[in-house]
Amino acid sequence: QVQLVESGGGLVQAGGSLRLSCAASGRTFSSETMGWFRQAPGKEREFVARITRGGGRTYYADSVKGRFTISRDLAKNTVYLQMNSLKPEDTAVYYCAATRNNGVSYAYWGQGTQVTVSS
């Protein structure tokens, strides 16, 4: 059974940092693109960052560029999202996702982890 399990969310003051982790199990994701998305209350889910298979390339939403860093540990089958200089508008549930057969769409999703940034 394939699972993506996020952790590392919590409550932090504006300007603070958090590091999210997404541990994958059930299969290896080294050949897949993995990404982070978020959904704030009353808003649609939005793209945050993605990292290609092997970790060769990273992409970010404009709203987080320069503040967030996505990385992956292939040996641990885990992807990370380092979030610095957090803002109240970063408050959301953060989801990890992975493609299947290196497709365009994300086939696997985690349950999400809450990030709350207080002003």
Side-chain angles (χ1 to χ4, degrees):
Q1 182 181 1
V2 175
Q3 278 191 315
L4 301 178
V5 179
E6 302 96 336
S7 62
L11 173 64
V12 64
Q13 288 188 333
S17 299
L18 283 174
R19 187 196 195 202
L20 304 184
S21 299
C22 172
S25 61
R27 55 158 288 186
T28 180
F29 284 90
S30 59
S31 61
E32 306 293 352
T33 292
M34 297 191 75
W36 287 96
F37 293 76
R38 67 186 182 186
Q39 187 167 19
K43 294 187 177 180
E44 294 187 352
R45 185 167 57 193
E46 64 176 0
F47 165 77
V48 174
R50 71 175 184 270
I51 186 166
T52 59
R53 58 181 178 178
R57 294 184 180 181
T58 58
Y59 302 87
Y60 299 92
D62 288 342
S63 59
V64 306
K65 202 171 293 183
R67 300 188 297 122
F68 290 10
T69 302
I70 188 171
S71 61
R72 67 193 301 173
D73 186 327
L74 298 177
K76 295 182 177 180
N77 218 18
T78 298
V79 65
Y80 304 97
L81 186 68
Q82 177 66 44
M83 306 186 296
N84 298 328
S85 302
L86 283 162
K87 304 175 182 180
E89 51 263 44
D90 294 320
T91 295
V93 177
Y94 283 70
Y95 298 91
C96 172
T99 59
R100 179 169 53 201
N101 298 326
N102 204 29
V104 176
S105 60
Y106 291 89
Y108 305 104
W109 292 86
Q111 293 299 307
T113 185
Q114 176 71 46
V115 171
T116 303
V117 184
S118 63
S119 57

